[in-house]
Amino acid sequence: TVEKAVQHIIASRGMIRINEVAAARDISTRHLEQLFAQQVGLTPKFFARIIRFNYVFELLKNQQPDWLNLVVEAGYYVQSHFIRNFKAFT
């Protein structure tokens, strides 16, 4: 279940709500969080944040650095949200 949830989050590039991931696996959000904590060591939401943040750099490999368009394409609709994640992960 967790492996498929991880694949689901990666396939969505981290731009999916955790309750949608849980529903797709036919388990509760709380149970998914517990399984993630045991098997991955992170919450599913934090894992999704990492995947979405990493997607910005995947986009950078293929495009000229137009930060505004890159972060919007990666699912950050507010610049401060990207900046907050950038500070948290660097």
Side-chain angles (χ1 to χ4, degrees):
T1 300
V2 172
E3 185 176 319
K4 291 195 186 246
V6 165
Q7 291 171 356
H8 200 132
I9 292 169
I10 291 171
S12 73
R13 298 184 307 260
M15 294 182 260
I16 189 168
R17 293 178 179 266
I18 301 311
N19 60 346
E20 294 174 25
V21 176
R25 305 277 56 92
D26 200 28
I27 59 175
S28 71
T29 302
R30 180 68 183 135
H31 188 59
L32 178 65
E33 290 170 349
Q34 291 171 336
L35 291 173
F36 243 79
Q38 292 170 353
Q39 296 179 28
V40 179
L42 303 170
T43 65
K45 185 174 181 176
F46 191 72
F47 180 74
R49 284 178 56 203
I50 292 169
I51 297 301
R52 182 168 25 154
F53 186 74
N54 187 58
Y55 183 59
V56 171
F57 298 99
E58 291 298 319
L59 291 172
L60 268 175
K61 291 178 185 177
N62 302 320
Q63 299 178 22
Q64 292 295 330
D66 177 359
W67 284 99
L68 179 60
N69 288 332
L70 287 176
V71 296
V72 168
E73 189 175 337
Y76 293 98
Y77 300 105
V78 179
Q79 182 181 4
S80 63
H81 190 201
F82 172 74
I83 291 169
R84 188 170 45 250
N85 278 334
F86 186 85
K87 287 179 180 179
F89 293 134
T90 57

